[in-house]
Amino acid sequence: MNSKIDTKTLEKTAKDIRAQILKMLSNAGSGHTGGSLSCVEIILSLYACALRHDPKNPKLAARDRFVLSKGHACPALYAVLAHFGYFPKTELMKLRKLGSSLQGHPQFGLPGLEASTGSLGMGLSIANGMALAARMDKKNDVKIYCLMGDGETNEGQVWEAAMTASHYKLDNICAIIDFNKLQIDGFLCDVKNVEPIKEKWQSFGWEVFEVNGHDFKALTDAYNKAKTTKGKPSLILAHTVKGKGVSFIENKAQWHGIAPKPDELERALKELGE
Amino acid sequence: MNNQDKSTWKGTRDGYGKGLLELGQKNKDVVVLSADLTSSTRADWFKEKFPDRFFSFGVAEQDMVSTAAGFALSGKIPFCCSFGVFASGRAWDQVRTSVAYMNLNVNIGGTHGGISVGPDGATHQALEEIALMRVLPHMSVVAPCDFLEAKKATVAAAYTPGPVYLRLSRENLPIITKEEDEFEIGKAKILKNGSDITIIACGIMVYQAMLADEILKKKNIEATIINLHTIKPLDAKAVINAAKKTKAVVTCEEHLLAGGMGSAVAELLSQNYPVPIEMIGVNDRFGESGSPWELMKKFHLMPEDIADACERAISRK
């Protein structure tokens, strides 16, 4: 993975994954559509181009790890994990159903899933613990990735963890913020302004890479830069569109926590060319 | 009870510190995390010997607990150190979601439990941790009675699957167990058998219960005394058998009555073998400043209070 990236194939895969997410959510009848669609390229490019992982051996000792701190976006992660063969795609339609390992928010135990999350703000701390443990074990080339929501940075614990990563100079940490500018109650700037977000992270001692979070080339370049950053943790500030890919879902806060109804699903899939 | 030489007394936090040291020597996977209370929690003893396995978080308990989850997910055995108020309360959601939900081997040493913290007052006197921790699935809760038991509990916690909360005291207490006594998380210690009343105690209250026994003996009341160091998982067999034998129970804890050890015993007995229960503890109020033993007196946690409760329970048989 990681050498020349095939952007065309990835773009096609992203479209398939978006369609898959919408079908899963619609079938479940509930879930988080907007924030799942905004991070498709971030997660897909990570698994396709940056992360050292083996779907046949999810517990591989030398693997890189990915913690989805914004746990509500798990439909995107589930779809990507299934795409890479961690579990059969037939499992995806069991999302949020009784007895399914695809819980409404990620539950540890699912192959390829590194941590339970859902209560926001905890993922970066968990990632830091993994990064410190990797350093203790002298696994110097292991990288720990953590995806947070932008609204999630309202949580004080995120900044506690930001200080910890910086204090311990955790250059094996690469955090990503899905900067889609919306949270449940509305635009971040109205709910609680997080700006200037880039400068905040820089002042906390992080190397920040600002990219278009839907551009595979830009994302892959940023992952590569994060890999070679020494002496400090890296943050990829990925500008995204909430609900990306479906016109009537894009940029609407009300689509944060609802699933498409059957007619909406039909329209959405048509837009995606399904 | 011949334990008046207070120079030999030690806090259960001291036992925790010694337990961590022993673990540091025996197990290279043990790591200690501290939230700026390194000396007060006795984590500094480990820090001095094993600086590479000690991690400082500053005043950030939530970050500390979730980071411990990351360590545990990578095969380490973390111990989080802070005062009980902050370790169990401030970081409760982190303990719930990052630790207990994943059933990780993250251990939490909460020192400064109970009213006996003394002059620091209500904000620093943890009276709620047993309740807060025992409601969490997968969580074990242990309140050792003395230095030696705290040391053994700390070592045992490392080898107990899933999370363990250790409730520890600041105040020095007499050492009432012996080095050679066996200790097992989840297995109550029956200190004495008597047929009139069962006193079930944990932490500092085990010593108080033993002093109460001296009072009861003078009144020809024979007590069974149980050191219920593990509140969860509860040793149901030991508690039910004692209730069957004595037909009345007094629970003693330096903790709020709501949701604490006494509540756990009442939940068990009311469903399995109902007998009169009297509960010694703090009744729906916060602590306050004062010297530890002044407070123990003011909050009715003294041997006389236990002895009176025993008589009340017996009269209700």
Side-chain angles (χ1 to χ4, degrees), chain B residues 85-219:
Chain B
V85 168
F86 314 124
S88 72
R90 184 66 172 253
W92 189 83
D93 188 26
Q94 284 73 15
V95 176
R96 176 183 186 266
T97 308
S98 297
V99 173
Y101 185 36
M102 286 192 268
N103 198 16
L104 300 176
N105 188 4
V106 169
N107 305 289
I108 301 165
T111 66
H112 294 57
I115 201 79
S116 61
V117 166
D120 274 353
T123 57
H124 285 57
Q125 294 161 339
L127 291 173
E128 308 87 356
E129 328 94 286
I130 295 176
L132 288 172
M133 292 293 110
R134 84 180 180 90
V135 294
L136 293 173
H138 301 144
M139 180 63 77
S140 297
V141 183
V142 183
C145 71
D146 70 4
F147 168 83
L148 287 175
E149 193 167 83
K151 186 179 161 193
K152 290 172 193 169
T154 304
V155 174
Y159 300 102
T160 302
V164 177
Y165 184 89
L166 297 161
R167 191 202 201 216
L168 305 157
S169 69
R170 175 188 190 278
E171 181 65 2
N172 287 336
L173 305 172
I175 296 174
I176 52 179
T177 64
K178 294 190 184 67
E179 191 77 60
E180 63 270 24
D181 287 351
E182 280 180 22
F183 175 86
E184 194 183 318
I185 288 178
K187 193 154 187 240
K189 305 284 277 189
I190 296 164
L191 303 181
K192 177 175 170 281
N193 277 302
S195 53
D196 298 325
I197 183 79
T198 296
I199 306 175
I200 302 176
C202 62
I204 188 174
M205 297 306 285
V206 176
Y207 176 58
Q208 301 293 72
M210 289 164 77
L211 295 178
D213 188 49
E214 305 289 325
I215 301 170
L216 293 170
K217 273 184 202 156
K218 288 183 190 135
K219 298 185 175 180

